[in-house]
Amino acid sequence: TTVQRALQLIRQGALNSGSLADLAERLGVGERYLRKLFQRELGVSPHAVALNQRLLFAKKLLAETAMPITDVAFAAGFGSVRRFNSAVRGHFRLTPGELRRRGSSPGDDSAIRLQLHYRPPYDWDGVLAFFRRHAIEGLEQVTDTHYRRRLSIGDGTARFSVSSLPDRTALQLDLEVPDYRLLMAIVSQVRRMFDLDAAPAMIAGQLGADPVIAPLLDRCPGIRAPGHGSLYEAAVRAIVGQQVSTAGARSICARLAAAAGETDNPAFPDASSLARLGDDHFPMPGRRRESLRALGRQFEGREDELDLAALSGLGGVGPWTLAMAGMRGSGDPDSFPAGDLGLQKAWQAIAPGGASLQQHADTHWRPWRAYAANLLWRSLSP
């Protein structure tokens, strides 16, 4: 678990500007122990993983964008152009200019277009339907072909749009970002939101062996477990969503976003805003309101340091909230909110009078219970 969390943070650029000691502190382990974990689990050091990540991301930017090479160097997390040139030549035996694909069309300096690849099949319709059901007015927009939103990251705000590329095993990301150094973190977040790193063959191998849920898998090949912008955002949404409908939770989140941002520019409320909003912005029971405020006070200015262990220690956070946050915010493939009313309804429809949902899930669906949950939710849609 520690290595997986570390890899996620490295993919977001944790070692581009921070040290290994900083990363270890965020993970709650010692630097030496973190090195040992990487060597044991992966056979390489955290810095080797980070360098490989930078090089692959730089190669992608060189191939798919018209960004100046200097900008590519800093977007990929290199501290200097000289170091970037040396690393590229050492790894690829080519200069950055030689790596660049000929014919890249020049574009707006603030706009980036990238292809985000996945292993097929991919349930694009199901993923888009998820975002449509949960879209926060003023912050997210979902059409028949696109998902668009603004995402706060660092001290800036990115705008992006995701659409399908039917003739390719990839989604198209159009992105406007105020600082190229934020690119790697945003791409990592978008990949997690759209669950692009899933292994559908492995998931289908496990879930398809269960005759109870296999028909749902046949109806929705390439099922995904999409998520929200961050674990912090998923935690807020989950707390808001306790004992209310999806539509009701959307309405409350839109109200919080409008209160936290400018009138014509709503933003998902950061921890500081959440802690300071007045009672009238929280149309919910007092205990739930205080859970949100406690989350805001504890993680003010450090939302990206929230983890599930810390979330579980907050008052008013039970198994359902924790499981939803884990699924939608951390991308945990085995997270399973067994008590969810929608899951219970779907389970009764396909297995009336059978074993309990929790028992069946634990016996037949591990370690992919999050995907089974999404199949069950999908079965409730026409």
Side-chain angles (χ1 to χ4, degrees), residues 276-359:
R276 288 168 173 74
L277 288 178
D279 288 357
D280 55 324
H281 294 297
F282 295 91
M284 61 186 68
R287 185 178 181 187
R288 201 176 307 159
R289 179 180 66 237
E290 289 312 308
S291 293
L292 289 170
R293 282 182 171 154
L295 176 63
R297 287 192 298 269
Q298 189 169 339
F299 289 93
E300 184 174 349
R302 53 188 193 94
E303 291 87 347
D304 61 345
E305 296 181 23
L306 176 66
D307 58 28
L308 292 175
L311 182 61
S312 67
L314 289 175
V317 173
W320 180 89
T321 304
L322 200 62
M324 291 300 294
M327 181 191 299
R328 302 306 188 193
S330 293
D332 180 356
D334 201 39
S335 188
F336 192 72
D340 183 83
L341 295 179
L343 292 185
Q344 292 289 341
K345 179 181 178 181
W347 179 244
Q348 288 302 314
I350 67 171
S356 73
L357 174 58
Q358 182 75 71
Q359 180 183 357

Side-chain angles (χ1 to χ4, degrees), residues 23-254:
L23 176 61
E25 184 177 356
R26 288 181 64 177
L27 296 168
V29 299
E31 181 179 347
R32 183 178 178 186
Y33 180 63
L34 184 60
R35 291 179 187 274
K36 285 185 176 180
L37 282 179
F38 266 72
Q39 195 61 44
R40 187 181 72 193
E41 300 292 332
L42 305 176
V44 293
S45 70
H47 283 298
V49 172
L51 177 59
N52 187 63
Q53 173 77 19
R54 292 185 200 114
L55 288 166
L56 291 177
F57 192 64
K59 183 180 180 182
K60 185 175 187 64
L61 294 178
L62 288 169
E64 298 183 24
T65 77
M67 290 172 60
I69 289 178
T70 298
D71 290 334
V72 170
F74 291 109
F78 288 91
S80 70
V81 176
R82 180 184 61 79
R83 191 173 299 170
F84 169 64
N85 289 334
S86 176
V88 169
R89 282 195 298 267
H91 187 82
F92 295 111
R93 300 291 186 265
L94 295 168
T95 67
E98 291 168 337
L99 268 180
R100 163 148 277 166
R101 177 186 298 165
R102 292 180 179 274
S104 292
S105 58
D108 185 340
D109 287 343
S110 64
I112 302 294
R113 172 169 289 181
L114 295 171
Q115 292 182 24
L116 306 183
H117 292 271
Y118 55 78
R119 300 178 185 91
Y122 187 86
D123 183 24
W124 168 250
D125 290 340
V127 171
L128 204 60
F130 164 81
F131 284 116
R132 183 178 295 111
R133 286 194 306 273
H134 295 271
I136 298 174
E137 185 178 357
L139 187 66
E140 300 170 286
Q141 179 187 8
V142 184
T143 69
D144 290 339
T145 56
H146 287 74
Y147 169 80
R148 299 183 177 92
R149 79 165 281 174
R150 287 180 295 103
L151 186 69
S152 298
I153 184 165
D155 295 327
T157 300
R159 299 175 184 270
F160 69 85
S161 170
V162 178
S163 57
S164 178
L165 293 171
D167 57 335
R168 303 189 182 185
T169 57
L171 301 183
Q172 180 172 291
L173 171 65
D174 291 287
L175 175 67
E176 294 181 21
V177 58
D179 186 340
Y180 284 140
R181 290 171 295 183
L182 300 175
L183 267 177
M184 185 181 290
I186 295 171
V187 170
S188 175
Q189 285 180 269
V190 173
R191 290 194 65 87
R192 184 184 48 75
M193 288 176 66
F194 284 81
D195 197 15
L196 297 179
D197 295 316
M202 295 179 65
I203 295 166
Q206 177 71 26
L207 300 185
D210 175 17
V212 179
I213 204 171
L216 299 185
L217 191 65
D218 292 338
R219 281 174 48 190
C220 306
I223 190 70
R224 290 304 199 268
H228 302 303
S230 66
L231 175 57
Y232 165 77
E233 179 179 324
V236 172
R237 287 182 184 248
I239 295 171
V240 168
Q242 293 172 2
Q243 305 299 316
V244 298
S245 67
T246 300
R250 283 178 58 187
S251 176
I252 296 171
C253 285

